[in-house]
Amino acid sequence: ARLSEAERARGVVAASAGNHAQGVAVAAGLLGVRATVFMPEGATIPKVQATQGYGADVRFHGESIDAALKAAEEYARTTGAVLIHPFDHVDVVAGQGTVGLELVEDMPDLAFLRRLVAAVRS
């Protein structure tokens, strides 16, 4: 959502074996942005199909997420697409951090469970 109009026009690229791929595909679709996702060979069929179903162009590269990420980085360099890194991206980290807050808001007992686990570990 924070992309400039020029960045949106170039599209986004990501690498993922499934969950990040789907998130990027959904967000891009909601914003009308083209998404290309590199997945490792052997990614699970339901995750591939879901990512495609959300509108992403799925490309397979390598046998690991590291190989897929290298392909995504090269794609970003050659096309100008914005790389949405699966874990080393400020917006991804911020979004993941809000999940914990939302869980505690929706399920106040989670805070109690966290304290209980900490007490058991000490």
Side-chain angles (χ1 to χ4, degrees), residues 49-76:
Q49 290 175 335
T51 303
Q52 291 170 324
Y54 294 129
D57 174 21
V58 174
R59 300 179 185 197
F60 298 98
H61 187 84
E63 296 182 14
S64 69
I65 189 62
D66 290 335
L69 182 55
K70 285 185 190 333
E73 290 169 339
E74 179 61 24
Y75 182 87

Side-chain angles (χ1 to χ4, degrees), residues 38-105:
F38 286 84
M39 299 180 93
E41 301 286 341
T44 62
I45 292 171
K47 291 189 178 195
V48 172
Q49 290 175 335
T51 303
Q52 291 170 324
Y54 294 129
D57 174 21
V58 174
R59 300 179 185 197
F60 298 98
H61 187 84
E63 296 182 14
S64 69
I65 189 62
D66 290 335
L69 182 55
K70 285 185 190 333
E73 290 169 339
E74 179 61 24
Y75 182 87
R77 275 192 295 276
T78 60
T79 66
V82 177
L83 176 67
I84 309 296
H85 197 283
F87 56 86
D88 192 16
H89 188 280
V90 65
D91 293 331
V92 172
V93 172
Q96 291 170 346
T98 64
V99 170
L101 295 173
E102 291 172 17
L103 285 169
V104 171
E105 285 176 6

